[in-house]
DNA sequence: AGCGTATGTGGACGATGTTTACTTAGTAGC
DNA sequence: GCTACTAAGTAAACATCGTCCACATACGCT
């Protein structure tokens, strides 16, 4: 029934790479069942090791969970990057800026839909995302928050956003997509069909783009 | 050390109101530690009853948690109502509509800041909020989602929102405030000062109001 | 009065996180 | 190359949690 992928009974007394094995196992559990599903004992089991061995690498299960969370955040960042790669700076900086902002929002939401467990794990309880912890980044070296900032900078530089409106705009923009994602993943919008979520996502980023700037209409 | 407030050793064999006592105990635990902190055994302990007694009133701990969640949602609705009571329909329907929408957003966010544990408990995993379960409502008989709908209806009726823009607007608006609340409560914005959160909340509802309608500027 | 049943009790099981004490083997120093 | 240090894994135990089973109690209906 249970396919223990990783228990190929090692022959060395030392595992060699236990810390990583535990995080990997935890990541898979998070992927399937969210943050509450990352069980310390189960991780050691999958690594083919006694429960206590984990305590040589993590202070407690919260520490393990924190490591798993970092990994999840990196995945989010990677998903956003993937989306951002699709937009190139052409001759119209404003179009580029808009596309960048949209990429962040859609990348974020897309990941949430594709990997609900990891997404929920990424954003719960005490993540030090704000401080640029390299463990949270993907290939560009930016965490999701910084990727969003980048997109907003492009908006500002291209004249789409005044300096005043640019300030703290990441919080507003992020709130929006994050809220939709969580309402769908573990909230009352639980059974909303995927395509509708994505359609709402499109409307949402438009709303953000329009709503951020105080220029047009007061 | 531990003040067991409610264990006044009953003399009747029957508790009389155990179901309620358990929910109350659970609510307090949720208030302090969020959904993960509502422990079935602890609830029975506080009610001065053996652990299994709970199973005469709830199928399992998930059922208890569901009841607690409903109570939490009611509190959210009550907080929103409180805020909505402050705005009266005057001679300017549009002003009334705007104030209503703002009331929903601010009431929601305010509750999230005041009662983080209950708020997090209210919106996690499988809440049947969508169906108008009377257990989720407050004095007006409306759950948070319906209160939001009401405010948006006022926007529409007063001409601030076209029929097209009105459609599904509750999802967009809700996403926004909910996202900010969760980012602050259990996300990366964990240590943001309260006043800044509320200031952002103000900007947020403005953004929603401006961003919802496609009339002005496309 | 008697009885059915809703309600509460006691004891047990498996699972989890965590601690304490012990074992093993890789490595650094002489 | 031997030895001693120490990082890494093991074993056994404990407290807590959710849950199941069998049993006890007393409320309220006939």
């Amino acid at each position: 029934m249970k396919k223990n992928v990783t228990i190929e009974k090692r022959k060395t007394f030392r595992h060699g790479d236990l810390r990583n094995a535990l995080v990997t196992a935890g990541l898979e559990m998070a992927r399937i069942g969210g943050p509450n599903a990352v069980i310390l004992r189960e991780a050691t089991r999958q690594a083919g090791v006694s429960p206590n061995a984990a305590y040589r690498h993590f202070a407690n299960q919260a520490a393990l969970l924190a490591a798993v969370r970092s990994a999840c955040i990196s995945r989010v960042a990677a998903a956003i990057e993937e989306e951002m790669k699709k937009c190139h700076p052409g001759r119209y900086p404003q179009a580029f800026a808009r596309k960048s902002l949209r990429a962040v929002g859609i990348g974020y939401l897309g990941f949430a839909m594709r990997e609900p467990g990891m997404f929920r794990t990424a954003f719960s309880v005490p993540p030090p995302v704000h401080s640029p912890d390299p463990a949270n980044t993907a290939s560009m070296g930016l965490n999701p928050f910084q990727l969003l900032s980048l997109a907003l900078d492009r908006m500002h530089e291209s004249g789409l956003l005044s300096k005043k409106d640019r300030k703290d705009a990441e919080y507003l923009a992020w709130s929006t997509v994050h809220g939709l994602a969580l309402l769908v993943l573990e909230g009352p919008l639980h059974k909303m069909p995927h395509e509708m979520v994505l359609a709402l996502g499109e409307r949402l980023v438009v709303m953000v783009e329009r709503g951020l700037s105080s220029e047009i209409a007061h």
Side-chain angles (χ1 to χ4, degrees), chain A residues 125-177:
Chain A
V125 209
V129 178
H130 228 156
S131 56
D133 185 340
N136 298 330
T137 66
S139 61
M140 289 177 63
L142 301 177
N143 64 33
F145 186 79
Q146 296 169 316
L147 287 166
L148 174 58
S149 292
L150 175 61
L152 287 169
D153 284 343
R154 288 178 184 168
M155 297 278 286
H156 173 51
E157 286 157 13
S158 72
L160 278 172
L161 220 52
S162 74
K163 182 159 189 174
K164 173 165 159 286
D165 290 336
R166 168 67 187 84
K167 183 166 187 297
D168 292 333
E170 32 269 276
Y171 300 127
L172 301 179
W174 195 354
S175 294
T176 305
V177 241

Side-chain angles (χ1 to χ4, degrees), chain A residues 39-215:
Chain A
I39 302 309
L40 185 144
R41 283 181 104 109
E42 175 62 23
T44 62
R45 225 170 283 137
Q46 288 186 22
V49 118
S50 93
N52 302 334
Y55 288 85
R56 298 295 168 191
H57 301 271
F58 300 97
N60 47 36
Q61 91 92 297
L64 170 59
L65 178 54
V68 171
R69 181 175 10 252
S70 260
C72 289
I73 296 179
S74 287
R75 306 295 187 99
V76 177
I80 295 178
E81 283 184 19
E82 200 61 32
E83 205 68 26
M84 277 191 114
K85 268 188 217 144
K86 296 182 190 166
C87 42
H88 308 280
R91 277 181 305 173
Y92 306 101
Q94 298 201 338
F96 177 51
R98 274 198 240 261
K99 272 191 259 175
S100 297
L101 184 58
R102 183 186 169 287
V104 175
I106 299 301
Y108 194 89
L109 269 176
F111 182 85
M113 299 299 107
R114 254 176 292 125
E115 294 291 356
M118 286 197 197
F119 182 84
R120 287 170 47 215
T121 306
F123 303 102
S124 56
V125 209
V129 178
H130 228 156
S131 56
D133 185 340
N136 298 330
T137 66
S139 61
M140 289 177 63
L142 301 177
N143 64 33
F145 186 79
Q146 296 169 316
L147 287 166
L148 174 58
S149 292
L150 175 61
L152 287 169
D153 284 343
R154 288 178 184 168
M155 297 278 286
H156 173 51
E157 286 157 13
S158 72
L160 278 172
L161 220 52
S162 74
K163 182 159 189 174
K164 173 165 159 286
D165 290 336
R166 168 67 187 84
K167 183 166 187 297
D168 292 333
E170 32 269 276
Y171 300 127
L172 301 179
W174 195 354
S175 294
T176 305
V177 241
H178 186 68
L180 180 55
L182 277 188
L183 282 176
V184 171
L185 292 187
E186 49 187 43
L189 275 46
H190 208 246
K191 22 190 59 174
M192 180 181 282
H194 257 207
E195 59 268 27
M196 184 167 174
V197 174
L198 292 180
L200 273 177
E202 296 284 353
R203 276 181 75 184
L204 209 58
V205 294
V206 172
M207 175 180 112
V208 170
E209 189 191 316
R210 190 165 46 220
L212 275 181
S213 76
S214 58
E215 307 292 301

Side-chain angles (χ1 to χ4, degrees), chain A residues 15-35:
Chain A
H15 178 287
D17 196 21
L18 183 53
R19 196 198 141 93
N20 254 318
L22 292 178
V23 172
T24 301
L27 194 59
E28 183 57 19
M29 294 189 268
R31 203 178 74 81
I32 295 183

